Amino acid sequence: MDPAHALPAGPPFTIRARLLTTLASGGVRYEPDAGIEVDVAGRIAGVERWDGDSGPAATLDLRPWVLMPGLVDLHAHLPQLPNAGVGAGLDLLTWLERYIFPLERDFDVPTAELIAPAAFRAFARAGTTTVVAYGALWPESLDACFRAAEAHGIRAVIGKVMMDRLSYDTDRDPTEVLELSLRQSTELCATWNGRDDGRLMYAFTPRFAVSCSAAMLRASALAASEAGAYWQTHLSEDREEISEVKRLFPDAIDYTDVYDRAGGLTPRAILAHAIHLSDREVERLAESGAVVAHCPSSNLFLASGAMPLARYQAAGIRMGLGSDVAAGPDAPLFSVMRAGAYTQNALRAAGLSGAPPLSPADWLRLGTLGGAEALGLQDRIGSVEVGKEADLIVVDPSVTLPLEGVGAHDDGGPDEMLSRLIFRAHPSMVRGAWVRGRLLPA
Ligand code: GUN
Ligand code: ZN
């Protein structure tokens, strides 16, 4: 960070900066010179065009940095971060066996106490202020993850992975796993869901249909709805996975129906990937209100496929973005937006989509307010608007310029700037991130 900019550690504060935000009413707001006031409770109390000398006295001038809403990552795996960037092009099930299950099997408390705080710092550095994450199977390691999130300050939805079929818990009799896993998950939910006025939340987390019996899926969905918690899993990511689900659930109409029969498809369900869906599945997902966490960088990394985003949007499926680290090689959602845009361009170039491209502002919306809406948190977060909690980031767009020491040839307007934040994302461009006005360690 530029040493000239000592960022406020906690509320109240007022920042003067450029402002770029999605708006609840639609569209974006750009102000080249704005004052953003955060009150003592960590809420946004004022967002105004800077008005001559009349701004509040104790103001930090961050211009030309840009204040934006914090990013919302709907899908990540905390234990997997050490293997990020390894295994590109492997099919999902091979990648899981080779690179992921061994890592999660070893995710004990000391490991979690090392990895989770580092992971949350990495998310904050990436501009992510809300993350929805999977842990591993072991409940004590989940307590360690929640403690780390509590101390760090990030907004987080976390869940213990549940598996009573394909699993790395090979020592235990599968018949006892369902009851045990349900009890452990319910206890974790009782301890952590809603902690710190809702900053920490719980998601019941049956891994995917290949790892779960119908009874496990049903019991976890029921427990989630009884607790008012989220329910997260993976859906229709990889062709071999889909074949395996067909074999395991011969009575189901399709993969989506496996979760539907379990009572999982509610507005509190977060389904990662959902790449290869029939028209029936698309319709059913839209009707159910379940959320798709779109993970385009992961979908390309594991050669899983190209999700037809425009088709899902036209159908009205609720959607946000997920990094899916470590199948996604990177935490920053700006890079995920780029992968998503390239995927849609490739679909168009191949004649597989006639939809117009999403604009940079559309991608920003998916990564901010779209994610907030997906979590039902749109009244609290997702945009820089009065009354919301101050989940903010500040970005230095100068590091995304093509040539050092040479200004941009365009007028440096918001569209060009946002385009570069996405297509020329730089690892150090996010200079600060706050949740409820508290600066996150990065
Ligand atoms: N499907 C089941 N488990 C996983 C996982 O850990 N990552 C991804 N990308 N897909 C999965
Ligand atoms: Zn995943």
Side-chain angles (χ1 to χ4, degrees):
M1 194 187 80
D2 183 336
H5 293 139
L7 298 174
F13 58 82
T14 301
I15 281 177
R16 184 176 182 181
R18 294 158 83 189
L19 170 72
L20 181 60
T21 180
T22 44
L23 293 171
S25 57
V28 297
R29 176 179 182 185
Y30 174 68
E31 298 288 353
D33 190 357
I36 298 96
E37 208 180 321
V38 175
D39 70 17
V40 70
R43 281 182 191 279
I44 300 170
V47 184
E48 290 177 22
R49 194 170 301 159
W50 197 262
D51 185 13
D53 296 329
S54 69
T59 295
L60 185 66
D61 190 351
L62 293 178
R63 291 172 305 157
W65 292 359
V66 186
L67 202 85
M68 300 170 73
L71 301 168
V72 179
D73 186 340
L74 290 182
H75 186 68
H77 296 262
L78 295 175
Q80 298 181 11
L81 265 86
N83 270 355
V86 178
L90 286 179
D91 68 277
L92 171 66
L93 300 177
T94 306
W95 173 81
L96 283 173
E97 291 282 0
R98 188 176 304 171
Y99 286 116
I100 297 306
F101 281 7
L103 203 55
E104 291 193 16
R105 190 185 297 121
D106 292 344
F107 197 70
D108 55 13
V109 170
T111 310
E113 286 176 341
L114 183 70
I115 288 177
F120 294 134
R121 289 196 300 274
F123 285 115
R125 266 200 312 282
T128 295
T129 52
T130 298
V131 64
V132 182
Y134 290 44
L137 272 175
W138 324 124
E140 301 79 9
S141 72
L142 263 293
D143 277 317
C145 291
F146 272 111
R147 282 196 303 272
E150 186 175 45
H152 178 263
I154 196 166
R155 195 182 291 273
V157 182
I158 312 175
K160 185 196 99 65
V161 165
M162 305 171 82
M163 303 195 261
D164 64 345
R165 262 180 175 162
L166 178 71
S167 176
Y168 47 82
D169 188 9
T170 44
D171 296 341
R172 215 181 294 277
D173 179 351
T175 53
E176 66 171 294
V177 168
L178 197 166
E179 200 199 324
L180 180 68
S181 189
L182 196 63
R183 180 156 39 82
Q184 292 168 339
S185 301
T186 303
E187 283 171 9
L188 283 163
C189 182
T191 306
W192 293 106
N193 194 34
R195 186 71 77 96
D196 192 16
D197 191 25
R199 179 169 64 83
L200 303 180
M201 291 159 280
Y202 195 78
F204 284 79
T205 308
R207 183 174 210 117
F208 66 155
V210 179
S211 284
C212 297
S213 65
M216 172 73 95
L217 293 170
R218 231 183 355 258
S220 60
L222 181 62
S225 86
E226 283 177 353
Y230 297 102
W231 187 80
Q232 61 178 348
T233 188
H234 297 85
L235 170 65
S236 203
E237 175 179 3
D238 168 279
R239 301 274 184 202
E240 281 174 46
E241 170 208 11
I242 295 166
S243 303
E244 186 61 4
V245 171
K246 220 174 248 162
R247 190 182 69 77
L248 292 168
F249 297 87
D251 295 339
I253 305 169
D254 46 42
Y255 199 157
T256 298
D257 192 45
V258 171
Y259 296 149
D260 210 357
R261 285 168 185 233
L265 299 188
T266 76
R268 304 283 275 175
I270 305 162
L271 309 168
H273 306 285
I275 303 170
H276 310 283
L277 301 182
S278 67
D279 288 345
R280 193 207 78 81
E281 291 176 286
V282 171
E283 245 176 69
R284 180 64 194 120
L285 283 186
E287 179 186 62
S288 70
V291 164
V292 166
H294 178 34
C295 305
S297 54
S298 164
N299 297 347
L300 295 178
F301 189 80
L302 290 184
S304 303
M307 195 195 86
L309 173 65
R311 184 172 143 234
Y312 295 3
Q313 285 189 315
I317 293 180
R318 299 167 67 218
M319 255 183 299
L321 297 177
S323 66
D324 193 25
V325 273
D330 258 337
L333 281 192
F334 287 109
S335 307
V336 172
M337 295 173 195
R338 174 173 53 193
Y342 286 164
T343 302
Q344 299 313 309
N345 285 353
L347 284 173
R348 279 209 322 287
L352 297 170
S353 168
L358 266 64
S359 68
D362 294 331
W363 285 108
L364 180 67
R365 187 170 200 89
L366 272 176
T368 55
L369 199 53
E373 286 166 353
L375 296 174
L377 298 177
Q378 66 277 4
D379 293 338
R380 287 189 163 208
I381 58 169
S383 57
V384 185
E385 294 183 275
V386 171
K388 289 204 175 179
E389 297 179 19
D391 287 18
L392 309 169
I393 59 174
V394 69
V395 173
D396 176 6
S398 71
V399 293
T400 71
L401 288 174
L403 295 172
E404 208 177 331
V406 180
H409 188 260
D410 55 58
D411 64 1
D415 294 342
E416 293 78 11
M417 179 178 71
L418 186 54
S419 187
R420 287 205 181 88
L421 292 178
I422 294 171
F423 292 97
R424 295 182 48 79
H426 189 283
S428 64
M429 69 191 192
V430 175
R431 300 303 178 105
W434 295 265
V435 167
R436 294 180 178 158
R438 271 187 59 203
L439 189 64
L440 300 179

